Amino acid sequence: MSSTESQTNTTSKRKKSSNSDIKLPGKLKPWCSCEICQSFVSSTWSLEFSNLCDWYSHLLRRSESGTIRVHVLGNIITANPENVEYMLKTRLDNYPKGKPFSAILGDLLGKGIFNVDGHLWKFQRKMASLELSNLSVKSYAFEIVVSEIRSRLIPLLSSVAGKENGVLDLQDVFRRFSFDSICKFSFGLDPGCLELSLPVSEFAVAFDLASKLSAGRALTVSPLIWKIKRFFNLGSEKKLREAIKLVNVLAEVLIKHKRNTDVSSHEDLLSRFMATIDDDKFLRDIVISFVLAGRDTIASALTTFFWLLSNHPDVILAIREESDCVMGSKNRDLASFEQLRDMHYLQAAVHESMRLFPPVQFDSKFCHEDDILPDGTFVAKGTRVTYHPYAMGRMERIWGPNCLEFKPERWLQDGVFKQVNPFHYPVFQAGPRVCLGKEMGLVEMKTVALSLIRQFDIQMASPNQTLQFTPGLTATVKKGLPVLIQSLPIFIAIHRMHIGDAIISLSLTLLLVVTNYHSPYRRRFGHTPSQCHTYKYSQTRS
Ligand code: HEM
């Protein structure tokens, strides 16, 4: 079917829909007394739900169309895949980021890709897609991650492993890790956040504060409040201005330095973009967008993944067994790019984790001209429309009756990872503006997770911890993720060669061989890890 045909069909379907919603205005209605708005205004939703997104998920599950309105916010929220496809692909032009969003992040991001629409976006998208698909840029990104794991992450975890009171906030560790990695990738600059012997980087502190305060603007009752504070340079707006000034000074110094250096052989984004762009302010904006996009998302995804794993030891075992099978059980090196590609269960587990805990829990666009969504919802010009990946991951009508369970197997068909329709799973957004760092992010996440799973036993310091999120652009766990760490015996034996540990590891290896036959891997995939090379080979051939 041609795209015009499919568009016509959608339109006629929408016309047929007799949703009474059509007559409702979509605009802001601060006085609304409907049940949802009253519960929102009085915060009574919090009596039953720990997180706003859990309450929205509950409302969206109850809604026949999978769409609700919060009139007091002037916001239409949808978990309906047809609507999501419509706004992110079919009518992308009618659902831009819009001025309210770009005003909030404008001072920090300027005209960077994350914050613009139209020609400015198209130009950056084309340029960045070209660079990110380049093989040498991909291996540069991978080398950065591998080196950060080897030289900082593993030594840090090893230094607290087994220590009494050796509690570590894993969320904080991941935030430092991902900041170092994305800065090296974007600027070729190492802020050394995970290096505890180094003083905290000024850039990291300023960037952190600037993104936190910018996101805080979205939480004010009316944008007028932060705009007035900005005009008079008061309170949080004064701090934001100072933080952005520092980010700008450091970026300027860096760009100047690079302009005076031969960067033709450098692989970082800034050096590569320099060849095309002369305007240093624009260059700064483009690269800062990448830092914002690629930092907290990875840290958030890893934090919730390890929280889920702590309640699913069978998944940890299956990941270890699959990696032993692909890499060899005695191999303690990090997985290579190719080896990661062969780990279908790991790929399934990280996708499943982000289904339940997407790093970007919701994402809003602003309607350009009056419109009707495929489910019949009328959208007035200027209305905010939010698609909600967090709620979508919890919809029975999309994922079936076990939608609330963490089941990596749902992504596997005969042991091979199967993608789903991206509009059912818009964790990386979908359509023409799909996340540019998706592949890179997945590789980073899997490399970090696997390196820790193979070398450490990680337990929650408070085993009954539930996840409560702080409001912001990316999901952040309110109290962090305090964990206790133990090195795995095999790892100790190989790296430290203590005779006692070597005996323990030998016994464990024997135990593993004996229990191999009854392993979770076998139950899951119907074959033992030692058979899996042949298995996968025959899968590929057929
Ligand atoms: C688990 C990791 C990640 C997740 C879940 C994720 C998710 C997303 C989402 C939902 C968007 C759409 C945001 C919007 O338009 O409002 C997005 C856009 C984007 N992401 Fe990611 N992201 C991840 C990692 C990364 C990384 C590592 C990079 C950098 C290399 C990156 C670069 C970008 C860029 C540049 C955009 C803007 C694309 C455009 O507007 O055309 N992301 N990402």
Side-chain angles (χ1 to χ4, degrees):
M1 193 196 294
S2 75
S3 65
T4 352
E5 268 172 329
S6 78
Q7 205 162 323
T8 323
N9 281 353
T10 318
T11 317
S12 59
K13 222 191 298 168
R14 279 185 288 127
K15 277 185 186 148
K16 269 185 235 154
S17 164
S18 59
N19 192 332
S20 57
D21 223 18
I22 289 177
K23 295 175 203 84
L24 282 174
K27 286 259 177 133
L28 186 72
K29 221 171 125 190
W31 58 89
C32 180
S33 61
C34 77
E35 199 187 327
I36 294 179
C37 290
Q38 281 310 300
S39 185
F40 180 83
V41 171
S42 60
S43 290
T44 43
W45 61 266
S46 62
L47 299 174
E48 241 184 291
F49 301 92
S50 328
N51 295 294
L52 189 62
C53 51
D54 288 319
W55 178 51
Y56 283 153
S57 305
H58 164 78
L59 296 173
L60 287 161
R61 273 197 300 266
R62 269 193 345 190
S63 155
E64 207 178 306
S65 60
T67 303
I68 56 166
R69 287 174 191 274
V70 187
H71 304 101
V72 287
L73 297 176
N75 193 2
I76 291 172
I77 305 175
T78 188
N80 180 327
E82 279 188 44
N83 288 350
V84 177
E85 178 163 4
Y86 183 76
M87 60 192 280
L88 297 184
K89 187 177 141 196
T90 322
R91 290 300 316 274
L92 178 73
D93 58 318
N94 202 33
Y95 294 90
K97 295 220 159 189
K99 282 199 183 122
F101 179 86
S102 34
I104 284 172
L105 289 177
D107 292 323
L108 175 62
L109 295 183
K111 294 190 169 67
I113 182 167
F114 210 73
N115 209 35
V116 290
D117 296 303
H119 293 305
L120 267 177
W121 166 71
K122 253 190 201 140
F123 166 72
Q124 292 179 61
R125 175 91 196 178
K126 210 168 161 187
M127 182 180 67
S129 309
L130 207 69
E131 295 299 353
L132 289 174
S133 58
N134 183 306
L135 210 62
S136 62
V137 174
K138 282 187 192 174
S139 32
Y140 174 66
F142 189 59
E143 277 162 28
I144 289 172
V145 170
V146 164
S147 133
E148 183 82 4
I149 295 176
R150 277 210 190 108
S151 63
R152 291 182 179 150
L153 186 64
I154 290 183
L156 172 66
L157 265 69
S158 301
S159 72
V160 294
K163 292 224 172 100
E164 240 180 84
N165 303 325
V167 176
L168 199 65
D169 176 1
L170 209 51
Q171 176 169 261
D172 181 50
V173 170
F174 289 146
R175 295 191 83 225
R176 288 164 185 267
F177 178 94
S178 51
F179 194 67
D180 282 354
S181 306
I182 196 69
C183 283
K184 284 194 233 172
F185 179 69
S186 308
F187 297 121
L189 166 102
D190 180 7
C193 293
L194 201 56
E195 192 75 68
L196 297 183
S197 58
L198 290 181
V200 183
S201 138
E202 258 187 309
F203 181 69
V205 175
F207 190 84
D208 236 2
L209 190 62
S211 37
K212 198 171 119 196
L213 295 174
S214 300
R217 284 174 169 178
L219 302 175
T220 53
V221 181
S222 154
L224 257 185
I225 297 179
W226 67 259
K227 284 184 181 166
I228 292 171
K229 277 169 77 182
R230 180 174 66 174
F231 184 78
F232 292 107
N233 198 24
L234 294 173
S236 55
E237 285 297 319
K238 185 172 178 212
K239 283 190 200 153
L240 176 59
R241 185 170 295 181
E242 284 160 8
I244 292 177
K245 201 169 155 193
L246 193 57
V247 169
N248 290 347
V249 168
L250 295 169
E252 253 170 53
V253 171
L254 195 72
I255 293 174
K256 265 208 185 99
H257 170 73
K258 281 202 181 262
R259 286 270 183 224
N260 296 325
T261 317
D262 175 19
V263 291
S264 54
S265 61
H266 293 195
E267 302 292 5
D268 63 275
L269 286 185
L270 180 58
S271 303
R272 295 185 75 99
F273 289 158
M274 263 179 171
T276 327
I277 295 165
D278 292 329
D279 178 349
D280 285 356
K281 167 77 176 74
F282 190 32
L283 203 54
R284 171 254 176 233
D285 290 351
I286 297 175
V287 185
I288 290 287
S289 256
F290 272 85
V291 178
L292 187 83
R295 187 261 182 115
D296 286 345
T297 43
I298 298 282
S300 169
L302 281 168
T303 304
T304 45
F305 186 41
F306 276 88
W307 180 83
L308 277 168
L309 289 180
S310 72
N311 294 312
H312 294 87
D314 55 324
V315 176
I316 298 182
L317 275 185
I319 292 175
R320 281 192 190 134
E321 289 187 19
E322 182 188 53
S323 64
D324 279 352
C325 157
V326 173
M327 300 166 67
S329 58
K330 291 198 186 97
N331 183 355
R332 292 292 123 180
D333 204 357
L334 301 183
S336 68
F337 214 72
E338 292 70 28
Q339 286 169 334
L340 281 178
R341 218 179 27 211
D342 284 345
M343 296 186 208
H344 293 256
Y345 187 80
L346 177 64
Q347 171 88 339
V350 298
H351 277 78
E352 176 69 348
S353 170
M354 288 190 282
R355 176 180 72 81
L356 290 169
F357 295 109
V360 180
Q361 296 180 330
F362 60 90
D363 191 13
S364 299
K365 311 288 170 192
F366 286 83
C367 178
H368 186 57
E369 288 298 337
D370 284 3
D371 198 4
I372 298 171
L373 296 176
D375 69 359
T377 304
F378 171 73
V379 189
K381 173 181 175 165
T383 305
R384 176 177 169 191
V385 187
T386 300
Y387 70 94
H388 210 288
Y390 185 93
M392 291 178 82
R394 286 145 202 270
M395 298 291 273
E396 203 171 322
R397 62 193 90 160
I398 301 179
W399 299 99
N402 63 1
C403 61
L404 299 181
E405 289 170 35
F406 177 56
K407 282 200 164 300
E409 302 77 26
R410 76 174 82 238
W411 294 84
L412 298 172
Q413 213 172 65
D414 300 325
V416 176
F417 176 79
K418 279 272 170 288
Q419 288 284 2
V420 297
N421 177 336
F423 300 101
H424 288 210
Y425 180 81
V427 164
F428 293 94
Q429 192 157 290
R433 272 196 101 146
V434 66
C435 169
L436 267 174
K438 180 179 170 188
E439 294 316 319
M440 199 181 121
L442 282 167
V443 168
E444 179 171 348
M445 215 187 137
K446 288 189 288 184
T447 314
V448 172
L450 191 63
S451 71
L452 300 191
I453 290 169
R454 277 173 75 80
Q455 308 202 0
F456 300 99
D457 177 33
I458 299 176
Q459 301 286 336
M460 293 301 110
S462 328
N464 297 325
Q465 181 185 359
T466 52
L467 292 187
Q468 226 186 330
F469 297 101
T470 44
L473 294 174
T474 318
T476 311
V477 179
K478 214 173 218 164
K479 291 181 183 158
L481 197 71
V483 296
L484 290 163
I485 295 172
Q486 293 282 342
S487 293
L488 288 177
I490 271 182
F491 180 67
I492 296 172
I494 286 165
H495 285 262
R496 300 196 189 153
M497 284 306 192
H498 286 173
I499 186 74
D501 294 330
I503 293 169
I504 296 173
S505 83
L506 195 65
S507 323
L508 265 173
T509 313
L510 279 172
L511 194 71
L512 277 175
V513 171
V514 173
T515 53
N516 194 11
Y517 190 81
H518 300 288
S519 70
Y521 190 98
R522 186 186 173 89
R523 279 202 299 277
R524 240 172 257 282
F525 307 125
H527 60 95
T528 60
S530 51
Q531 289 168 307
C532 78
H533 284 301
T534 344
Y535 170 77
K536 253 192 225 113
Y537 182 65
S538 62
Q539 283 283 322
T540 327
R541 302 254 299 182
S542 63

